[in-house]
Amino acid sequence: MSTDRSSTPTETLGYDDRRRWQALGVGLVAAFMTLLDVSIVNVAVPSIDRAVHATPSDLQWVLSGYALTFGLALVPAGRFGDARGRRNAFVLGVALFTVTSALAGLARSPEWLIAARLVQGAAAGVVNPQVSGVIQQLFRGAERGRAFGLLGATIGISTAVGPLLGGLLIQLGGAEHGWRWVFFVNIPVGIVAVLLGWRLMPGRPTGAPGRHRLDPVGVLLLGVGVTLVLLPLVQRQQWHGPQKWALIPAGLAFLAGFATWERWYGRTRQPLFDLRLFGLRSYALGSLIGLIYFAGFTAIFFIFTLYLQIGLGYSALIAGLAITPFALGAAGASALGGRVVTRYGRPLVAIGLLGVVVGLVATDLVLTGGPHHDVPLRTALPLLVAGLGSGLVIAPNQTLTLSEVPVQMAGSGAGMLQTGQRIGSAAGIAGVGALFFSTLAENRGDWAVAFRHSLLLAAGIVVLALVAAVVDIVAGRRRPA
């Protein structure tokens, strides 16, 4: 693709270089804020428990309800941004996220807090596809790779730094009210993002109005399908018995119905999601890599936080600091990966995945013969290596996955990619978490053994993503020019 200004679509005219990067900056700040709330609340759970007298089921909904509604909103919100303008969707999403953050911080009961978190997650799902869509719309060629590199760094840092920032806020705010500041910190950031987003984000696109209807049947089928798949995963500890797993095949049936409906609907109108995107090898395999990688990647922080805080008795702040090497490595490598991905392509992602596997296996090796009382120091270097690898996965994979997606499908394409990542995260935490707790029970509360075994499972999941990347590389070399 050319970076020449003549290749810029009609709707992006009037965006000079400075304004494009300013729009991206506002989007990245909003994305950081919404993605941070996936992990920052984990360290606040003990304080929330004491403050609002929540049951274990309530706490599970505070954590997983956000992820559930986040995943539900991604594709419809991406399609809305494609059809009605990224600025409208972005500002609406950030404004709603800001209001619900304030409501969550003011919560006086578990029910109040759960309701606020559910709407807050949906608002986050509205915001994120607009950021990827803006990158698709305003950037080309190597510049698009740089922009996605910054987005990848944002994803990596926000996921890894959440426990650290949460620990700091709780430390500053005190054990009784510090958890409220985990939500209140979003308010000033959100207000500024709303004002700048309205000024800088691209407005309503041009096109035939009749093809911009939002496909309510598709929204319903996809929503029910994703809900049925995610519910048993996010409620795995609270819903006992095997019956809950029957929801997954039911959800897959709804998703099959969604695919059938979209094929029919797309014959005459613009569907919620154009299934022809999966005919693009870059999009299909890139989405698969994202789903599998997030299953292993997100689970690491879940089990590591449990091991440090409950197993070893570290504070929330120390637990957050222990994960910082991963975050720093991911940030630096994401910026580099975004700059060079257009030159090296999918092999760069494969190198990153290999780096993550090496880092996780090395983390396991340095903890051999435990228990150890200097775990944060022992794991710093291996986690830095894993973070460097992760930085070469998330941003470059997103760039390559969306590289052939038309601009008018950028929001829904990015939304489906992120929906797969959310499903992968939930599945990974469920599977790796199940091994963690079962190993803990079998080994009479040996947290070190439970962590090491589940860490190796997470590494094995990343190996599966590496296999998918290698398949893409081989298929690309066999394809005739």
Side-chain angles (χ1 to χ4, degrees):
M1 294 184 183
S2 172
T3 58
D4 184 73
R5 191 61 63 94
S6 63
S7 66
T8 304
T10 305
E11 59 263 37
T12 69
L13 292 178
Y15 273 76
D16 57 23
D17 282 345
R18 181 180 177 187
R19 193 178 178 200
R20 285 188 300 149
W21 289 103
Q22 287 175 338
L24 175 63
V26 174
L28 293 179
V29 169
F32 180 84
M33 179 174 64
T34 58
L35 292 167
L36 189 71
D37 268 51
V38 175
S39 60
I40 193 173
V41 180
N42 288 332
V43 296
V45 164
S47 299
I48 293 172
D49 187 14
R50 290 191 297 268
V52 299
H53 308 292
T55 67
S57 179
D58 294 331
L59 294 173
Q60 181 68 21
W61 272 107
V62 168
L63 295 175
S64 61
Y66 181 90
L68 175 63
T69 53
F70 192 144
L72 287 176
L74 285 166
V75 176
R79 179 72 195 110
F80 182 88
D82 291 338
R84 306 293 169 85
R86 316 225 183 269
R87 178 172 59 199
N88 295 337
F90 180 84
V91 171
L92 172 65
V94 175
L96 185 60
F97 186 87
T98 305
V99 170
T100 50
S101 293
L103 291 173
L106 294 171
R108 293 291 182 269
S109 68
E111 295 77 15
W112 179 342
L113 181 57
I114 290 169
R117 283 286 284 175
L118 289 172
V119 183
Q120 188 190 34
V126 172
V127 171
N128 278 273
Q130 315 315 324
V131 182
S132 297
V134 163
I135 293 175
Q136 291 283 93
Q137 187 172 337
L138 299 183
F139 296 90
R140 293 291 180 272
E143 282 190 335
R144 182 181 287 179
R146 286 179 58 198
F148 272 122
L150 293 173
L151 177 59
T154 301
I155 295 171
I157 294 173
S158 62
T159 304
V161 84
L164 172 60
L165 184 56
L168 283 171
L169 289 171
I170 293 170
Q171 188 98 350
L172 292 172
E176 185 177 355
H177 295 294
W179 69 271
R180 299 186 186 276
W181 288 100
V182 167
F183 300 108
F184 288 151
V185 73
N186 295 326
I187 298 173
V189 180
I191 292 172
V192 173
V194 165
L195 296 175
L196 293 179
W198 185 257
R199 178 183 174 189
L200 295 170
M201 288 290 173
R204 187 184 183 105
T206 57
R211 290 183 60 80
H212 286 326
R213 286 177 288 183
L214 295 178
D215 185 10
V217 175
V219 171
L220 178 64
L221 289 171
L222 180 63
V224 173
V226 172
T227 300
L228 292 177
V229 169
L230 283 177
L231 264 180
L233 297 174
V234 299
Q235 288 289 291
R236 66 197 178 281
Q237 293 182 31
Q238 303 306 320
W239 291 1
H240 302 293
Q243 297 88 349
K244 62 178 178 287
W245 302 115
L247 293 178
I248 292 181
L252 294 176
F254 271 93
L255 293 178
F258 167 75
T260 302
W261 168 263
E262 292 298 282
R263 287 194 187 95
W264 178 84
Y265 189 85
R267 292 176 183 174
T268 56
R269 288 155 290 188
Q270 184 67 43
L272 176 65
F273 176 78
D274 196 327
L275 294 169
R276 289 176 297 177
L277 289 179
F278 285 122
L280 303 172
R281 194 188 80 248
S282 60
Y283 187 83
L285 280 173
S287 297
L288 179 63
I289 291 168
L291 185 152
I292 298 172
Y293 179 66
F294 269 73
F297 158 70
T298 313
I300 297 166
F301 307 112
F302 172 66
I303 58 174
F304 197 38
T305 301
L306 286 175
Y307 177 42
L308 291 173
Q309 287 189 259
I310 302 177
L312 298 179
Y314 285 107
S315 68
L317 180 59
I318 298 300
L321 285 170
I323 300 171
T324 302
F326 189 103
L328 294 176
S334 290
L336 173 64
R339 290 177 179 273
V340 301
V341 62
T342 52
R343 185 186 311 169
Y344 296 107
R346 193 70 74 188
L348 183 67
V349 177
I351 291 171
L353 289 166
L354 182 61
V356 175
V357 173
V358 169
L360 295 183
V361 172
T363 302
D364 174 75
L365 292 175
V366 299
L367 295 179
T368 301
H372 302 285
H373 300 290
D374 56 349
V375 169
L377 290 176
R378 283 176 174 267
T379 58
L381 183 58
L383 287 179
L384 176 63
V385 172
L388 290 169
S390 185
L392 297 180
V393 175
I394 296 176
N397 185 63
Q398 185 139 333
T399 304
L400 295 168
T401 303
L402 299 176
S403 61
E404 298 179 90
V405 175
V407 171
Q408 65 270 24
M409 301 177 188
S412 57
M416 186 61 78
L417 172 63
Q418 292 184 45
T419 300
Q421 292 171 355
R422 300 274 73 80
I423 291 174
S425 296
I429 290 174
V432 175
L435 178 63
F436 183 91
F437 290 116
S438 64
T439 306
L440 190 65
E442 291 170 3
N443 290 271
R444 301 179 180 180
D446 191 328
W447 289 84
V449 171
F451 174 67
R452 290 182 55 217
H453 285 191
S454 52
L455 184 68
L456 289 177
L457 175 59
I461 295 171
V462 177
V463 169
L464 294 178
L466 176 59
V467 170
V470 171
V471 168
D472 191 21
I473 294 167
V474 172
R477 289 178 177 173
R478 288 179 177 176
R479 187 174 63 178

